[in-house]
Amino acid sequence: KAGVTQTPRYLIKTRGQQVTLSCSPISGHRSVSWYQQTPGQGLQFLFEYFSETQRNKGNFPGRFSGRQFSNSRSEMNVSTLELGDSALYLCASSLVGANEQFFGPGTRLTVL
Amino acid sequence: GIQVEQSPPDLILQEGANSTLRCNFSDSVNNLQWFHQNPWGQLINLFYIPSGTKQNGRLSATTVATERYSLLYISSSQTTDSGVYFCAAVDYGQNFVFGPGTRLSVLP
């Protein structure tokens, strides 16, 4: 069974731009969660989607948003990028939210 | 929400040595997982262990939910075990909360 995939793997943007990251979960998994990892803040939960609905949201500004499609694939969007948004963005999938989570390889975003 | 702590923050071992990593959580949890993050950033599942004890080769884990801690044991460590080990707990709001990690360096 294929694992969680994320695209793109690397991305360089400039301040003020917006970015969209994509995540394809393991086949059959309906929950997709997103995390931001930075050296200063560690791994922080962004949001979780289940059956196309956002079920939980972390403590991030409204510039961070996401959505989930009917095939469970998910995208997250960051608008008006700031230097502090430079991070590794990780996506995880599970059968349902509290079950075992499996992570993708991440997208490394650099904001210049 | 719950707080997750890990100790020690850093650990340096000689190849072949054994180690114990600890994860404390502040409240009842629905789930607990251990991960190993490789140098490329990939989080690799080690254990899904809300309670009890599991073993997988040289690694084993124990979670005592009533006392709010989990332990990860690494025996006969190898250089490939180097990296950062995270525990993550799910509270009943179903948010995954990660600890700050233990950075392990295994020297040849």
Side-chain angles (χ1 to χ4, degrees):
Chain A
K1 193 182 270 192
V4 179
T5 59
Q6 291 186 246
T7 57
R9 294 293 312 279
Y10 302 91
L11 207 48
I12 299 175
K13 293 284 188 178
T14 56
R15 277 181 302 174
Q17 288 187 308
Q18 74 166 17
V19 67
T20 298
L21 312 181
S22 181
C23 172
S24 292
I26 292 171
S27 177
H29 285 191
R30 295 170 62 192
S31 171
V32 174
S33 298
W34 289 90
Y35 299 84
Q36 181 197 64
Q37 186 176 25
T38 60
Q41 299 298 319
L43 273 153
Q44 293 186 287
F45 171 77
L46 279 157
F47 28 64
E48 184 221 351
Y49 287 87
F50 181 81
S51 293
E52 301 178 65
T53 301
Q54 186 182 90
R55 290 206 300 190
N56 288 295
K57 190 177 191 310
N59 189 25
F60 279 82
R63 301 184 297 108
F64 291 82
S65 62
R67 59 178 175 167
Q68 187 179 35
F69 302 95
S70 58
N71 61 358
S72 295
R73 188 177 72 86
S74 177
E75 289 180 347
M76 68 163 282
N77 183 277
V78 188
S79 62
T80 319
L81 284 166
E82 300 177 359
L83 295 179
D85 296 333
S86 294
L88 178 67
Y89 290 88
L90 292 161
C91 158
S93 78
S94 63
L95 285 170
V96 293
N99 279 14
E100 186 174 11
Q101 294 206 345
F102 296 86
F103 281 79
T107 294
R108 194 167 294 277
L109 172 65
T110 302
V111 182
L112 304 176
Chain B
I2 62 168
Q3 309 294 318
V4 179
E5 300 174 346
Q6 290 186 246
S7 60
D10 295 280
L11 188 57
I12 300 175
L13 299 175
Q14 208 67 41
E15 201 169 25
N18 303 329
S19 62
T20 301
L21 282 58
R22 187 178 180 101
C23 172
N24 292 333
F25 38 94
S26 60
D27 208 340
S28 301
V29 298
N30 206 12
N31 179 12
L32 187 125
Q33 285 187 246
W34 283 96
F35 299 92
H36 176 213
Q37 189 168 41
N38 67 21
W40 297 271
Q42 173 83 55
L43 280 169
I44 298 164
N45 288 38
L46 296 177
F47 294 101
Y48 167 69
I49 186 166
S51 64
T53 298
K54 290 186 177 180
Q55 179 153 11
N56 184 5
R58 297 182 295 104
L59 274 59
S60 63
T62 295
T63 297
V64 184
T66 53
E67 297 187 21
R68 300 179 186 169
Y69 73 88
S70 183
L71 302 174
L72 177 68
Y73 305 96
I74 304 175
S75 65
S76 304
S77 58
Q78 301 175 356
T79 55
T80 51
D81 294 332
S82 296
V84 184
Y85 289 80
F86 290 99
C87 70
V90 180
D91 63 18
Y92 284 89
Q94 299 196 6
N95 292 335
F96 235 66
V97 178
F98 278 82
T102 292
R103 184 173 298 276
L104 174 65
S105 300
V106 181
L107 306 179

